[in-house]
């Protein structure tokens, strides 16, 4: 029996090593996204099932006043803390990597069996740290989550401008017509959706002035985007303005929908007895949005191209080993900053922790995914920052004519 167990263990280790080696030969960014996605799944599972286990740890269960929701927050924060440390440590290790000759380049792309073990040990270790350390991490995570949302905003602005420029460069009538049609559709969708928000979050018979202010502000910003973008002195276009308008309307909706379930102006009236299907849908949306943002940041030259690798230089990454295709033996510069790439995942870990713990707002909101006044204000402020950054991209060349903007 012991021999059979030994053989099974050996086969299992061999299988894990084989899988890890296979991952390392493909895009490193996809593999890191997979590891990050696994951390989200573990967080969710422990959030739903780990409370009874944490109650048995005397260094965690230090008070009789702790509720089930508090233990759920602890499970999420501790997994997130381990995940954050993994990517933060890698970000520090990768500082200054500029070319392929640096040994750390192979550390970034390979060594997946070791990485998985280190990640697992860090996550487990976080369940042995004092509560006060986790509490401090929870506070810092609110700021880290806000920083990650700002990264999402800049990525969106960069993507919309690149989309518009690519179609304009085609210099064909059909593409100009397509730009106009999409822009009009986006603006119609923005104002139609805003009308729906009035019905959902301004129910008759209640004083919902705050919600009305949020919705009206979104509609005004959408109008301002178009006016500024189409001004003769501004080198703007209607497509980015319309896309940003839709995004701001969506952010307004997500912010208002995060209002507490017992708030009379929340027309959705989410019950605390959330069904399993609702939790699964909410978690799936969270996973997809965070993974997309991290992957988009990981391939964005706007953020990640180091000085030695300008945007205009075409550096192609070999999908098999992460190396640049080169005809000679000379090392090529890296195509993106490995350090900043890992910082994105570290911030995304904090953002995911806030979503799954209700932004550690209160024990009442912790049992729901992404509900609470903290979440409301963070999201709505993100929409306003998006508006400010977009307007700045339009007027910056006028204010700073000597600067070169991409």
């Amino acid at each position: 029996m012991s021999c059979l167990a030994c053989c099974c263990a050996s086969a299992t280790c061999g299988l894990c090593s084989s899988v890890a080696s296979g991952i390392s030969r493909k895009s490193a960014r996809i593999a890191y996204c997979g590891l990050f996605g696994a951390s989200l799944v573990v967080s969710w599972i422990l959030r739903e099932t780990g409370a009874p286990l944490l109650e048995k740890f005397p260094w965690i269960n230090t008070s009789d006043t702790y509720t089930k929701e508090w233990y759920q927050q602890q499970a999420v924060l501790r997994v997130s803390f381990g995940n954050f440390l993994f990517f933060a440590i890698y970000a520090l290790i990768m500082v200054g990597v500029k070319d392929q000759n640096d040994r750390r380049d192979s550390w970034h792309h390979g060594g997946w069996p070791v990485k998985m073990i280190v990640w697992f040990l860090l996550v487990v270790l976080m369940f042995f740290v004092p509560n006060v350390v986790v509490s401090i991490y929870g506070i810092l995570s609110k700021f880290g989550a806000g920083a990650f949302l700002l990264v999402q905003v800049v990525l969106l602005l960069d993507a919309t401008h690149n989309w518009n420029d690519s179609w304009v460069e085609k210099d064909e009538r059909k593409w100009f017509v397509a730009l106009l049609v999409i822009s009009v559709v986006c603006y119609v969708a923005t104002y139609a959706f805003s009308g729906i928000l009035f019905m959902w979050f301004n129910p008759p018979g209640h004083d919902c002035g705050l919600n009305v202010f949020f919705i009206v502000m979104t509609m005004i910003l959408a109008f301002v985007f178009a006016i500024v973008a189409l001004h003769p002195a501004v080198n703007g276009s209607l497509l980015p303005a319309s896309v940003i308008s839709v995004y701001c309307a969506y952010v307004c909706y997500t912010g208002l929908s995060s209002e507490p379930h017992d708030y009379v102006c929340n027309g959705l009236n989410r019950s605390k007895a959330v069904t399993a299907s609702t939790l699964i849908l909410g978690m799936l949306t969270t996973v997809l949005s965070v993974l997309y943002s991290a992957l988009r940041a990981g391939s964005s030259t706007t953020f990640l191209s180091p000085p030695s690798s300008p945007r205009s230089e075409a550096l192609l990454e070999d999908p098999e080993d992460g190396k640049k295709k080169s005809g000679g033996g000379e090392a090529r510069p890296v195509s993106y900053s490995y350090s900043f790439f890992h910082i994105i995942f570290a911030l995304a870990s904090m953002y995911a922790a806030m979503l799954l713990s209700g932004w550690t707002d209160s024990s009442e909101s912790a049992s729901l995914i992404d509900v609470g006044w903290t979440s409301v204000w963070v999201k709505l402020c993100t929409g306003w920052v998006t508006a400010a950054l977009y307007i700045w991209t339009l007027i910056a060349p006028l204010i700073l004519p000597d600067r070169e903007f991409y």
Side-chain angles (χ1 to χ4, degrees):
M1 182 64 69
S2 60
C3 181
L4 179 60
C6 181
C7 293
C8 291
S10 176
T12 302
C13 292
L15 178 61
C16 292
S17 300
S18 177
V19 171
S21 300
I23 291 176
S24 66
R25 288 194 295 269
K26 299 186 183 296
S27 172
R29 289 173 289 192
I30 298 295
Y32 283 115
C33 282
L35 185 61
F36 179 76
S39 72
L40 298 183
V41 174
V42 172
S43 296
W44 186 32
I45 292 175
L46 291 180
R47 176 186 184 273
E48 299 303 312
T49 63
L53 178 62
L54 294 184
E55 291 178 359
K56 298 178 181 180
F57 294 165
W59 57 90
I60 296 179
N61 186 6
T62 58
S63 174
D64 295 333
T65 61
Y66 293 152
T67 63
K68 176 184 177 181
E69 287 78 11
W70 184 86
Y71 287 108
Q72 289 178 324
Q73 289 181 348
Q74 286 291 306
V76 171
L77 289 175
R78 289 171 186 269
V79 174
S80 171
F81 197 6
N83 204 48
F84 168 81
L85 287 179
F86 174 82
F87 287 108
I89 292 172
Y90 246 87
L92 292 176
I93 294 176
M94 295 297 160
V95 170
V97 178
K98 297 180 179 180
D99 57 53
Q100 302 288 316
N101 281 338
D102 196 312
R103 178 179 296 181
R104 292 173 294 174
D105 179 81
S106 62
W107 297 354
H108 174 73
H109 292 101
W112 282 99
V114 176
K115 290 178 184 177
M116 292 179 180
I117 294 174
V118 171
W119 174 83
F120 177 77
L121 292 177
L122 284 173
V123 171
V124 172
L125 181 62
M126 292 307 102
F127 284 88
F128 294 91
V129 301
N131 292 341
V132 63
V133 176
V134 179
S135 298
I136 294 174
Y137 173 74
I139 295 173
L140 296 177
S141 291
K142 294 183 179 181
F143 297 96
F148 180 74
L149 289 175
L150 291 180
V151 171
Q152 285 184 307
V153 168
V154 178
L155 290 174
L156 175 65
L157 292 172
D158 178 60
T160 54
H161 283 298
N162 288 340
W163 178 14
N164 181 79
D165 294 341
S166 64
W167 283 18
V168 170
E169 288 175 357
K170 297 179 184 297
D171 198 20
E172 296 181 14
R173 182 177 179 180
K174 63 179 181 180
W175 294 108
F176 288 109
V177 172
L179 286 173
L180 179 61
V181 171
I182 294 177
S183 300
V184 171
V185 170
C186 287
Y187 262 106
V188 171
T190 298
Y191 284 98
F193 190 48
S194 298
I196 296 176
L197 295 183
F198 272 112
M199 294 187 294
W200 285 352
F201 300 102
N202 184 33
H206 299 286
D207 183 12
C208 301
L210 184 62
N211 285 0
V212 172
F213 168 75
F214 291 149
I215 299 171
V216 171
M217 178 62 71
T218 301
M219 299 174 70
I220 293 175
L221 288 175
F223 180 74
V224 171
F225 295 158
I227 296 299
V228 176
L230 297 178
H231 193 278
V234 176
N235 185 22
S237 176
L238 194 59
L239 177 64
S242 64
V243 173
I244 298 299
S245 297
V246 171
Y247 176 76
C248 287
Y250 168 75
V251 169
C252 181
Y253 159 71
T254 58
L256 295 177
S257 63
S258 294
E259 292 175 338
H261 71 279
D262 56 352
Y263 184 50
V264 294
C265 294
N266 186 349
L268 299 182
N269 287 327
R270 286 199 249 183
S271 172
K272 189 171 184 178
V274 183
T275 62
S277 60
T278 303
L279 284 173
I280 293 174
L281 180 61
M283 184 58 185
L284 180 61
T285 303
T286 300
V287 170
L288 292 177
S289 63
V290 174
L291 287 181
Y292 170 78
S293 299
L295 182 59
R296 182 70 178 90
S299 51
S300 172
T301 53
T302 299
F303 278 105
L304 304 174
S305 290
S308 60
S309 179
R311 271 184 86 167
S312 58
E313 183 179 359
L315 294 175
L316 300 179
E317 182 175 342
D318 189 340
E320 291 300 319
D321 56 9
K323 303 292 185 181
K324 309 298 176 296
K325 293 181 179 180
S326 176
E330 184 179 356
R332 299 290 301 274
V334 297
S335 59
Y336 62 95
S337 170
Y338 299 158
S339 181
F340 191 82
F341 172 78
H342 290 288
I343 290 176
I344 293 297
F345 277 96
L347 295 177
S349 300
M350 291 181 163
Y351 175 67
M354 292 297 98
L355 291 182
L356 292 174
S357 65
W359 293 81
T360 62
D361 191 15
S362 66
S363 60
E364 180 181 20
S365 65
S367 61
L368 300 177
I369 289 182
D370 198 18
V371 174
W373 284 111
T374 303
S375 178
V376 173
W377 284 104
V378 168
K379 291 180 179 179
L380 291 171
C381 288
T382 298
W384 297 338
V385 171
T386 302
L389 288 177
Y390 173 65
I391 294 177
W392 172 250
T393 62
L394 296 177
I395 65 176
L398 301 178
I399 299 176
L400 303 172
D402 297 332
R403 293 285 302 274
E404 183 178 1
F405 295 91
Y406 294 95

